[in-house]
Structure formats: structure tokens, C-alpha cells
DNA sequence: CATTCTGTTATATTTATTATGTAACAGAAT
DNA sequence: ATTCTGTTACATAATAAATATAACAGAATG
């Protein structure tokens, strides 16, 4: 399972790539120090424009997941503002909790989902 | 705390309204049978165009949160496909789990967030 | 029965976002 | 010197979001 996006998804391509890389970091497929394919290489891999890749990389950089070194490359380098990351996560969870509540899904079921998804990250490193 | 949106948010207005109504249903501020302000009324309340309101209402209808009766009104009426709602929630949780893992947030902390946000829905009904 | 209100449809325009294309730059690496 | 890097600039096209104005059909109201 490598870099890939769904060209027919309603989710924008740069967000798909952005999310994919975060997931790969979380699951250990990408580790601190790893160098991502250059924007042009990645563009060829995914068959999209390099500006779209650059947009994804720049967003990851702004959020603190990677560092972009001109004339060197884009490197996995975790340096985020934990407070703002946490705020973002909490904002997402608030909406999820609301949706779950609407369909009578109880807290325990959400916990099980979290456990399952989080646990899957820890195990699958290939 | 009533209907309101942030005109300067990066989140689109119709999504803001959509999410807001879901949250109000979850917290009990809106109950099954309640009639939402008409698209034109709501448009005036939020100072946006009625087509934008219509887009939010139509999305809520397609997802099963409300029913829209021409010449009558838009009514809170929960009738969703639980499977697809559940799939959506799980997809969101997968990404949240990944983001949390990246910043060394453990599962228990996510559980506490869920508990806090979910619990807040149950209590605050005003 | 005329008026009002409802979601709905139609047409149109404007603005913002997304995605692409081509070209060039500056500097590190080889 | 050549290649590769992120970066910047300029440009275009397609899509999405938001607005505006107008009209329709039918229920509700007085």
C-alpha cells in the first residue's frame, strides 16, 4: 500500500494526499527523517500536477508534519503546535459526537471504533 | 445560543448551517417534529441567500435528518440509513485516530474527549 | 376568494477553489 | 556543467459556493 489517490473522489486531490501522508506517518510507514518524493516525482506517481502536490506538502508543513527544504527535499519532521492540533481534533470529535448521538449510537460504540482504528495503526506497519 | 454562522469562516456557509442543525438535534435544542424556519426566514436570520439555506436543508434531507414538505415546511424527522451514517463516522474517526497518533495522543485521551463532548450534548439542552 | 407562505425550479452572474500547464529561478548535489 | 530541489510567476479551465431575481403550485389563513 503506497501513495495513491482516487481520481473520482469528491474529496479534493491535495486533501487526499495530505490525509494519506498523515495516515502513513501514524501507521509507521513513514518515519521522522524520511524524505518524501519530490513534488515532481509525486506528481508523476499520482498522475496529477506538481502544483497540487506542492499544495498538499505546504499544508502538511504549515501544520507541522513535514519540513520543506528548498534544493534538498521534503522531510517528515514533526514539530506541530500541539494546542492547535488538539483544538482541531476536538472540533472534529464534537461533530462526530453529535452525529453519533442523533442516531442513538452510544459512547461505548464510539470508544470501540476509536480502539479499532487506533489499534490498527499500531499494528499494521507494512 | 441559536442559529448562527461565521461569515469569515473557511468552512462553507451551507456546511456550517448543516453542522449546526445536527448539533442542535443532538443536544435536544431541536426535537423530532420541530419545524425549522423557512428557507427565506433562515436566510434573513443568517444574512445569507435562501439558496444557500436550501442547499443545507436538502443535504440534511438526503442524509435523513429532516423532511422537506413543499407548501408546509422543513421538519426534523430522523430516518437515516444507519449503515451509511456509520460508515461516514468511522471514516472520520480513522483520520482523527491518525492525527492523534502522530502527536502522541493516546487512546485514553481520545476517549476522554469523546466522553466530554458527548456528555455535554446530553446535559446542555438550553 | 384573495393573500400569504411553503418548497421548488429556472436562469444568471459573481466569486472562490481546485487543478492544470508552462516557464523560469537559485542553489545544493553529483 | 548537469541534475534535482522547492519556489515563484503567470495563465487557463473546470468546478463549487454564493448571490440575485423571478416565477410556480398548492396548502393555510382570514
Amino acid at each position: 500500500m503506497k501513495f495513491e489517490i482516487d481520481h473520482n473522489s469528491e474529496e479534493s486531490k491535495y486533501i487526499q494526499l495530505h490525509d494519506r501522508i498523515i495516515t502513513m506517518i501514524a501507521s509507521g510507514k513513514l518515519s521522522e527523517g524520511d524524505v518524501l518524493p519530490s513534488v515532481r516525482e509525486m506528481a508523476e506517481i499520482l498522475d496529477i500536477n506538481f502544483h497540487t502536490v506542492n499544495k498538499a506538502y505546504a499544508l502538511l508543513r504549515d501544520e507541522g508534519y513535514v519540513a520543506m527544504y528548498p534544493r534538498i527535499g521534503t522531510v517528515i519532521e514533526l514539530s506541530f503546535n500541539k494546542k492547535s492540533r488538539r483544538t482541531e481534533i476536538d472540533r472534529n470529535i464534537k461533530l462526530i459526537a453529535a452525529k453519533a448521538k442523533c442516531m442513538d449510537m452510544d459512547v461505548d460504540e464510539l470508544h470501540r471504533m476509536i480502539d479499532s482504528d487506533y489499534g490498527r495503526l499500531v499494528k499494521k506497519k507494512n
Side-chain angles (χ1 to χ4, degrees), chain A:
Chain A
M1 203 193 318
K2 274 297 184 113
F3 302 108
E4 54 184 356
I5 63 167
D6 177 2
H7 286 264
N8 298 323
S9 171
E10 41 192 292
E11 198 81 59
S12 61
K13 298 176 181 179
Y14 84 97
I15 290 293
Q16 282 187 63
L17 176 55
H18 166 269
D19 291 352
R20 185 93 191 82
I21 289 172
I22 289 179
T23 302
M24 290 176 75
I25 295 173
S27 66
K29 289 167 201 152
L30 286 174
S31 304
E32 211 145 0
D34 285 354
V35 181
L36 291 174
S38 75
V39 291
R40 289 176 181 81
E41 265 186 296
M42 182 66 89
E44 205 171 339
I45 293 173
L46 302 177
D47 193 30
I48 61 178
N49 191 272
F50 81 87
H51 283 117
T52 307
V53 176
N54 194 276
K55 196 171 179 181
Y57 283 12
L59 179 56
L60 288 166
R61 175 198 58 203
D62 295 344
E63 293 174 337
Y65 290 96
V66 305
M68 298 178 83
Y69 299 109
R71 300 170 282 291
I72 294 179
T74 299
V75 187
I76 306 295
E77 219 176 287
L78 307 181
S79 66
F80 24 62
N81 179 329
K82 288 207 175 191
K83 189 174 175 184
S84 61
R85 292 298 89 218
R86 217 188 128 90
T87 301
E88 182 211 336
I89 289 177
D90 193 50
R91 192 171 45 79
N92 290 332
I93 288 187
K94 274 184 165 55
L95 186 57
I96 288 179
K99 288 176 178 173
K101 181 76 168 51
C102 284
M103 56 185 289
D104 283 325
M105 193 186 289
D106 61 13
V107 191
D108 292 335
E109 197 164 355
L110 284 176
H111 283 184
R112 283 194 294 273
M113 272 191 177
I114 292 264
D115 291 343
S116 169
D117 293 333
Y118 196 99
R120 195 162 288 138
L121 291 173
V122 180
K123 295 183 178 179
K124 287 192 185 175
K125 285 187 185 293
N126 50 328

